[in-house]
Amino acid sequence: MIEKYKKHIIAVSMVFLVLTSNAQQHPDQKLAAIFNPANKKVLVAAHRGDWRHTPENSIMSLTNSIEKGYDIMELDVKMSKDSVLVVMHDNTIDRTTNAKGKPGDYTLAELKKLRLRNGLGRVTPHQIPTLAEMLAVAKGKVIINVDKGNHYLSQVIELLKQTGTTGQTIVNVNDNTPYQELQKSLNLPDDVYVMVVVAMKRPDALSIIESYKTRKRSIIQPIFDTDTLSSIKALPSLAEKQVLWLNSLWPSLNGGHDDDRAVEQGEEEQSWGWLLKLQPAILQTDRPAELQTYLKQQKR
């Protein structure tokens, strides 16, 4: 009888360990894994977090993303008048808050008195978060992509060191910048994950991508407003040696293979399926829940 219960306990324990390891994989490990050439897992990046249910770039958009199991939250940073990094997409606060002006017109204390608007434009109780606050919530739980912070890269990188979140954060650099040029303008630590957006219609697009092969922790984000470019055909082979991040946001970033086509027109294979053939390790989306379901169906 004792042996029978022992076997039952062991079996239940094994199932629990498997479920726990899959559900609670540390974001450092999850991010490092996509650099393994044998990786087949596609990570879901929630654009500005769970913005359909809470204000974009808010702390709740982050906590919702964590609770819903999204792999990455993309956010954007600006600088306050007193040199504090805050999370905000636009160059002004007009669209997303109950005030007007630039983030740099206000001190952090003044920005904290404002309130964020939701996707319908309604004022909510939510405040503008600092990047430090977001990193504290995300630590050990979800990968963060810091976008729109090109002017503050040194400060962003220093904050990652201070908060111990370097291993779970991807930092965007200036678009279409060859790696050699980036090295001249910024002393990047080797442990920082960087991502460069590359416009595939540029004649030097493939050479820009090629330049990042020398940096181990680099991610390429190709964008294209048409799917007929010859350079796009090279992406699957490039993905064998470099990590690709693709967007299923609006059509100008993916040649018409976008989220709305998948969800509203029911053409998942013509949108997400088409993008998966380019072998990305990450897909950024405004429909993270639906994309997450689709990837599970595809065993990706």
Side-chain angles (χ1 to χ4, degrees):
M1 182 67 71
I2 294 175
E3 288 301 318
K4 178 181 177 182
Y5 282 116
K6 277 185 178 179
K7 290 179 181 179
H8 178 71
I9 291 169
I10 292 171
V12 171
S13 299
M14 291 298 292
V15 171
F16 175 78
L17 287 172
V18 169
L19 291 174
T20 302
S21 62
N22 288 341
Q24 300 182 2
Q25 185 181 21
H26 196 282
D28 287 35
Q29 298 172 322
K30 189 178 288 188
L31 183 51
I34 65 174
F35 288 83
N36 182 338
N39 173 67
K40 297 299 180 185
K41 171 74 174 175
V42 177
L43 303 185
V44 173
H47 183 231
R48 305 182 200 176
D50 187 34
W51 67 262
R52 290 183 183 273
H53 302 101
T54 191
E56 67 178 58
N57 280 324
S58 65
I59 287 180
M60 185 166 281
S61 72
L62 170 59
T63 57
N64 282 4
S65 296
I66 294 169
E67 290 173 4
K68 294 178 180 181
Y70 305 149
D71 303 299
I72 303 171
M73 176 180 166
E74 182 265 0
L75 54 79
D76 313 277
V77 295
K78 296 293 183 289
M79 188 78 78
S80 70
K81 188 176 183 179
D82 49 348
S83 301
V84 179
L85 289 167
V86 295
V87 181
M88 175 67 56
H89 177 272
D90 298 357
N91 290 324
T92 73
I93 60 175
D94 300 20
R95 177 180 64 87
T96 55
T97 77
N98 59 343
K100 294 185 181 297
K102 298 178 180 179
D105 295 336
Y106 298 83
T107 65
L108 178 61
E110 291 168 337
L111 289 172
K112 283 296 186 180
K113 294 178 182 178
L114 308 180
R115 293 297 179 263
L116 292 170
R117 295 181 184 274
N118 62 20
L120 296 174
R122 295 173 183 165
V123 178
T124 72
H126 299 282
Q127 296 177 310
I128 299 171
T130 66
L131 179 59
E133 289 170 341
M134 295 290 268
L135 292 174
V137 173
K139 189 172 183 178
K141 298 181 179 71
V142 68
I143 299 166
I144 292 293
N145 169 224
V146 179
D147 194 9
K148 303 296 182 187
N150 301 331
H151 299 298
Y152 323 111
L153 283 176
S154 296
Q155 294 95 322
V156 169
I157 291 169
E158 182 58 33
L159 186 56
L160 298 183
K161 291 179 184 177
Q162 293 173 7
T163 56
T165 54
T166 302
Q168 68 175 79
T169 306
I170 302 165
V171 181
N172 280 36
V173 300
N174 287 323
D175 296 358
N176 303 307
T177 303
Y179 182 51
Q180 295 80 359
E181 186 177 322
L182 181 65
Q183 284 181 303
K184 292 177 183 177
S185 61
L186 184 69
N187 184 23
L188 278 171
D190 291 338
D191 60 347
V192 174
Y193 290 96
V194 300
M195 179 160 64
V196 60
V197 175
V198 181
M200 297 305 289
K201 65 183 178 182
R202 291 173 60 102
D204 60 348
L206 295 180
S207 65
I208 293 172
I209 294 173
E210 181 84 16
S211 72
Y212 282 82
K213 282 187 176 180
T214 59
R215 181 178 176 86
K216 292 182 179 179
R217 292 193 170 191
S218 61
I219 298 171
I220 309 299
Q221 184 181 147
I223 59 172
F224 43 93
D225 57 10
T226 175
D227 60 9
T228 60
L229 297 171
S230 60
S231 57
I232 296 173
K233 297 177 182 178
L235 293 180
S237 59
L238 288 172
E240 295 176 5
K241 297 181 179 180
Q242 292 177 273
V243 174
L244 298 186
W245 166 308
L246 293 180
N247 296 293
S248 58
L249 307 177
W250 40 87
S252 61
L253 298 178
N254 48 54
H257 304 275
D258 60 290
D259 289 326
D260 289 347
R261 182 174 180 180
V263 176
E264 296 180 8
Q265 299 179 44
E267 297 183 353
E268 294 177 333
E269 293 306 316
Q270 292 84 355
S271 54
W272 296 330
W274 187 91
L275 291 169
L276 286 180
K277 291 177 182 178
L278 299 180
Q279 301 302 317
I282 302 166
L283 271 179
Q284 180 175 215
T285 177
D286 278 325
R287 303 278 193 165
E290 293 89 343
L291 176 58
Q292 193 177 57
T293 298
Y294 174 76
L295 290 173
K296 286 180 180 178
Q297 292 170 348
Q298 302 300 312
K299 298 182 179 180
R300 297 294 299 271

PDB file of all heavy atoms in Angstrom, residues 234-251:
ATOM      1  N   ALA A 234      15.721  36.464 -48.480  1.00  0.00           N
ATOM      2  CA  ALA A 234      16.947  36.057 -47.785  1.00  0.00           C
ATOM      3  C   ALA A 234      16.739  35.818 -46.292  1.00  0.00           C
ATOM      4  O   ALA A 234      17.603  35.248 -45.622  1.00  0.00           O
ATOM      5  CB  ALA A 234      18.028  37.129 -47.976  1.00  0.00           C
ATOM      6  N   LEU A 235      15.592  36.236 -45.751  1.00  0.00           N
ATOM      7  CA  LEU A 235      15.385  36.182 -44.304  1.00  0.00           C
ATOM      8  C   LEU A 235      15.417  34.763 -43.714  1.00  0.00           C
ATOM      9  O   LEU A 235      16.033  34.551 -42.669  1.00  0.00           O
ATOM     10  CB  LEU A 235      14.086  36.896 -43.926  1.00  0.00           C
ATOM     11  CG  LEU A 235      14.085  38.416 -44.152  1.00  0.00           C
ATOM     12  CD1 LEU A 235      12.740  39.012 -43.736  1.00  0.00           C
ATOM     13  CD2 LEU A 235      15.221  39.088 -43.387  1.00  0.00           C
ATOM     14  N   PRO A 236      14.776  33.768 -44.328  1.00  0.00           N
ATOM     15  CA  PRO A 236      14.839  32.428 -43.730  1.00  0.00           C
ATOM     16  C   PRO A 236      16.259  31.891 -43.577  1.00  0.00           C
ATOM     17  O   PRO A 236      16.584  31.270 -42.558  1.00  0.00           O
ATOM     18  CB  PRO A 236      14.024  31.571 -44.705  1.00  0.00           C
ATOM     19  CG  PRO A 236      13.074  32.533 -45.333  1.00  0.00           C
ATOM     20  CD  PRO A 236      13.853  33.807 -45.479  1.00  0.00           C
ATOM     21  N   SER A 237      17.100  32.146 -44.557  1.00  0.00           N
ATOM     22  CA  SER A 237      18.484  31.679 -44.440  1.00  0.00           C
ATOM     23  C   SER A 237      19.264  32.498 -43.417  1.00  0.00           C
ATOM     24  O   SER A 237      20.111  31.962 -42.688  1.00  0.00           O
ATOM     25  CB  SER A 237      19.191  31.734 -45.801  1.00  0.00           C
ATOM     26  OG  SER A 237      19.196  33.057 -46.316  1.00  0.00           O
ATOM     27  N   LEU A 238      18.967  33.799 -43.319  1.00  0.00           N
ATOM     28  CA  LEU A 238      19.612  34.633 -42.305  1.00  0.00           C
ATOM     29  C   LEU A 238      19.217  34.181 -40.907  1.00  0.00           C
ATOM     30  O   LEU A 238      20.015  34.244 -39.968  1.00  0.00           O
ATOM     31  CB  LEU A 238      19.230  36.103 -42.498  1.00  0.00           C
ATOM     32  CG  LEU A 238      19.838  36.817 -43.704  1.00  0.00           C
ATOM     33  CD1 LEU A 238      19.206  38.196 -43.876  1.00  0.00           C
ATOM     34  CD2 LEU A 238      21.342  36.947 -43.537  1.00  0.00           C
ATOM     35  N   ALA A 239      17.974  33.709 -40.766  1.00  0.00           N
ATOM     36  CA  ALA A 239      17.474  33.282 -39.462  1.00  0.00           C
ATOM     37  C   ALA A 239      18.195  32.050 -38.931  1.00  0.00           C
ATOM     38  O   ALA A 239      18.095  31.733 -37.743  1.00  0.00           O
ATOM     39  CB  ALA A 239      15.977  33.002 -39.543  1.00  0.00           C
ATOM     40  N   GLU A 240      18.933  31.362 -39.793  1.00  0.00           N
ATOM     41  CA  GLU A 240      19.695  30.205 -39.344  1.00  0.00           C
ATOM     42  C   GLU A 240      20.871  30.623 -38.475  1.00  0.00           C
ATOM     43  O   GLU A 240      21.369  29.842 -37.660  1.00  0.00           O
ATOM     44  CB  GLU A 240      20.194  29.406 -40.548  1.00  0.00           C
ATOM     45  CG  GLU A 240      19.067  28.773 -41.367  1.00  0.00           C
ATOM     46  CD  GLU A 240      19.576  28.075 -42.618  1.00  0.00           C
ATOM     47  OE1 GLU A 240      20.813  28.005 -42.793  1.00  0.00           O
ATOM     48  OE2 GLU A 240      18.752  27.592 -43.409  1.00  0.00           O
ATOM     49  N   LYS A 241      21.317  31.879 -38.632  1.00  0.00           N
ATOM     50  CA  LYS A 241      22.488  32.351 -37.889  1.00  0.00           C
ATOM     51  C   LYS A 241      22.210  33.583 -37.031  1.00  0.00           C
ATOM     52  O   LYS A 241      23.003  33.913 -36.147  1.00  0.00           O
ATOM     53  CB  LYS A 241      23.630  32.659 -38.866  1.00  0.00           C
ATOM     54  CG  LYS A 241      24.119  31.440 -39.629  1.00  0.00           C
ATOM     55  CD  LYS A 241      25.264  31.801 -40.551  1.00  0.00           C
ATOM     56  CE  LYS A 241      25.770  30.582 -41.298  1.00  0.00           C
ATOM     57  NZ  LYS A 241      26.896  30.918 -42.224  1.00  0.00           N
ATOM     58  N   GLN A 242      21.103  34.268 -37.311  1.00  0.00           N
ATOM     59  CA  GLN A 242      20.766  35.459 -36.550  1.00  0.00           C
ATOM     60  C   GLN A 242      19.319  35.386 -36.069  1.00  0.00           C
ATOM     61  O   GLN A 242      18.494  34.692 -36.660  1.00  0.00           O
ATOM     62  CB  GLN A 242      20.979  36.718 -37.403  1.00  0.00           C
ATOM     63  CG  GLN A 242      22.459  36.981 -37.709  1.00  0.00           C
ATOM     64  CD  GLN A 242      22.652  38.191 -38.610  1.00  0.00           C
ATOM     65  OE1 GLN A 242      22.608  38.055 -39.829  1.00  0.00           O
ATOM     66  NE2 GLN A 242      22.892  39.352 -38.031  1.00  0.00           N
ATOM     67  N   VAL A 243      19.041  36.117 -35.007  1.00  0.00           N
ATOM     68  CA  VAL A 243      17.703  36.104 -34.414  1.00  0.00           C
ATOM     69  C   VAL A 243      16.851  37.193 -35.058  1.00  0.00           C
ATOM     70  O   VAL A 243      17.232  38.362 -35.076  1.00  0.00           O
ATOM     71  CB  VAL A 243      17.781  36.320 -32.889  1.00  0.00           C
ATOM     72  CG1 VAL A 243      16.383  36.445 -32.290  1.00  0.00           C
ATOM     73  CG2 VAL A 243      18.547  35.181 -32.228  1.00  0.00           C
ATOM     74  N   LEU A 244      15.684  36.801 -35.567  1.00  0.00           N
ATOM     75  CA  LEU A 244      14.789  37.741 -36.237  1.00  0.00           C
ATOM     76  C   LEU A 244      13.555  38.031 -35.386  1.00  0.00           C
ATOM     77  O   LEU A 244      12.960  37.129 -34.806  1.00  0.00           O
ATOM     78  CB  LEU A 244      14.326  37.189 -37.590  1.00  0.00           C
ATOM     79  CG  LEU A 244      15.388  36.911 -38.653  1.00  0.00           C
ATOM     80  CD1 LEU A 244      14.709  36.508 -39.956  1.00  0.00           C
ATOM     81  CD2 LEU A 244      16.293  38.112 -38.880  1.00  0.00           C
ATOM     82  N   TRP A 245      13.177  39.293 -35.352  1.00  0.00           N
ATOM     83  CA  TRP A 245      11.956  39.780 -34.702  1.00  0.00           C
ATOM     84  C   TRP A 245      11.099  40.379 -35.811  1.00  0.00           C
ATOM     85  O   TRP A 245      11.511  41.312 -36.488  1.00  0.00           O
ATOM     86  CB  TRP A 245      12.335  40.819 -33.663  1.00  0.00           C
ATOM     87  CG  TRP A 245      11.244  41.694 -33.093  1.00  0.00           C
ATOM     88  CD1 TRP A 245      10.324  42.436 -33.783  1.00  0.00           C
ATOM     89  CD2 TRP A 245      10.989  41.961 -31.711  1.00  0.00           C
ATOM     90  NE1 TRP A 245       9.521  43.136 -32.927  1.00  0.00           N
ATOM     91  CE2 TRP A 245       9.908  42.863 -31.637  1.00  0.00           C
ATOM     92  CE3 TRP A 245      11.579  41.537 -30.523  1.00  0.00           C
ATOM     93  CZ2 TRP A 245       9.403  43.348 -30.433  1.00  0.00           C
ATOM     94  CZ3 TRP A 245      11.079  42.016 -29.324  1.00  0.00           C
ATOM     95  CH2 TRP A 245      10.000  42.904 -29.282  1.00  0.00           C
ATOM     96  N   LEU A 246       9.917  39.821 -36.031  1.00  0.00           N
ATOM     97  CA  LEU A 246       9.009  40.353 -37.041  1.00  0.00           C
ATOM     98  C   LEU A 246       7.771  40.961 -36.380  1.00  0.00           C
ATOM     99  O   LEU A 246       7.440  40.631 -35.239  1.00  0.00           O
ATOM    100  CB  LEU A 246       8.586  39.257 -38.022  1.00  0.00           C
ATOM    101  CG  LEU A 246       9.685  38.694 -38.923  1.00  0.00           C
ATOM    102  CD1 LEU A 246       9.116  37.616 -39.840  1.00  0.00           C
ATOM    103  CD2 LEU A 246      10.359  39.778 -39.743  1.00  0.00           C
ATOM    104  N   ASN A 247       7.108  41.852 -37.109  1.00  0.00           N
ATOM    105  CA  ASN A 247       5.923  42.542 -36.614  1.00  0.00           C
ATOM    106  C   ASN A 247       4.691  42.103 -37.383  1.00  0.00           C
ATOM    107  O   ASN A 247       4.698  42.089 -38.610  1.00  0.00           O
ATOM    108  CB  ASN A 247       6.080  44.057 -36.790  1.00  0.00           C
ATOM    109  CG  ASN A 247       7.212  44.613 -35.970  1.00  0.00           C
ATOM    110  OD1 ASN A 247       7.173  44.623 -34.746  1.00  0.00           O
ATOM    111  ND2 ASN A 247       8.256  45.082 -36.642  1.00  0.00           N
ATOM    112  N   SER A 248       3.628  41.799 -36.628  1.00  0.00           N
ATOM    113  CA  SER A 248       2.342  41.558 -37.284  1.00  0.00           C
ATOM    114  C   SER A 248       1.385  42.697 -36.955  1.00  0.00           C
ATOM    115  O   SER A 248       0.168  42.521 -36.960  1.00  0.00           O
ATOM    116  CB  SER A 248       1.751  40.211 -36.850  1.00  0.00           C
ATOM    117  OG  SER A 248       1.569  40.146 -35.458  1.00  0.00           O
ATOM    118  N   LEU A 249       1.930  43.862 -36.672  1.00  0.00           N
ATOM    119  CA  LEU A 249       1.137  45.034 -36.308  1.00  0.00           C
ATOM    120  C   LEU A 249       0.389  45.550 -37.523  1.00  0.00           C
ATOM    121  O   LEU A 249      -0.433  44.868 -38.092  1.00  0.00           O
ATOM    122  CB  LEU A 249       2.039  46.107 -35.694  1.00  0.00           C
ATOM    123  CG  LEU A 249       2.921  45.648 -34.513  1.00  0.00           C
ATOM    124  CD1 LEU A 249       3.829  46.772 -34.046  1.00  0.00           C
ATOM    125  CD2 LEU A 249       2.067  45.134 -33.369  1.00  0.00           C
ATOM    126  N   TRP A 250       0.690  46.754 -37.993  1.00  0.00           N
ATOM    127  CA  TRP A 250      -0.017  47.294 -39.158  1.00  0.00           C
ATOM    128  C   TRP A 250       0.668  46.889 -40.459  1.00  0.00           C
ATOM    129  O   TRP A 250       1.852  46.541 -40.483  1.00  0.00           O
ATOM    130  CB  TRP A 250      -0.146  48.806 -39.035  1.00  0.00           C
ATOM    131  CG  TRP A 250       1.075  49.473 -38.478  1.00  0.00           C
ATOM    132  CD1 TRP A 250       2.166  49.893 -39.171  1.00  0.00           C
ATOM    133  CD2 TRP A 250       1.343  49.782 -37.098  1.00  0.00           C
ATOM    134  NE1 TRP A 250       3.087  50.456 -38.326  1.00  0.00           N
ATOM    135  CE2 TRP A 250       2.607  50.408 -37.049  1.00  0.00           C
ATOM    136  CE3 TRP A 250       0.619  49.605 -35.910  1.00  0.00           C
ATOM    137  CZ2 TRP A 250       3.171  50.850 -35.850  1.00  0.00           C
ATOM    138  CZ3 TRP A 250       1.193  50.040 -34.721  1.00  0.00           C
ATOM    139  CH2 TRP A 250       2.442  50.656 -34.703  1.00  0.00           C
ATOM    140  N   PRO A 251      -0.043  46.940 -41.574  1.00  0.00           N
ATOM    141  CA  PRO A 251       0.443  46.392 -42.848  1.00  0.00           C
ATOM    142  C   PRO A 251       1.764  46.978 -43.348  1.00  0.00           C
ATOM    143  O   PRO A 251       2.510  46.279 -44.041  1.00  0.00           O
ATOM    144  CB  PRO A 251      -0.698  46.708 -43.827  1.00  0.00           C
ATOM    145  CG  PRO A 251      -1.908  46.790 -42.973  1.00  0.00           C
ATOM    146  CD  PRO A 251      -1.463  47.384 -41.673  1.00  0.00           C
TER     147      PRO A 251
END
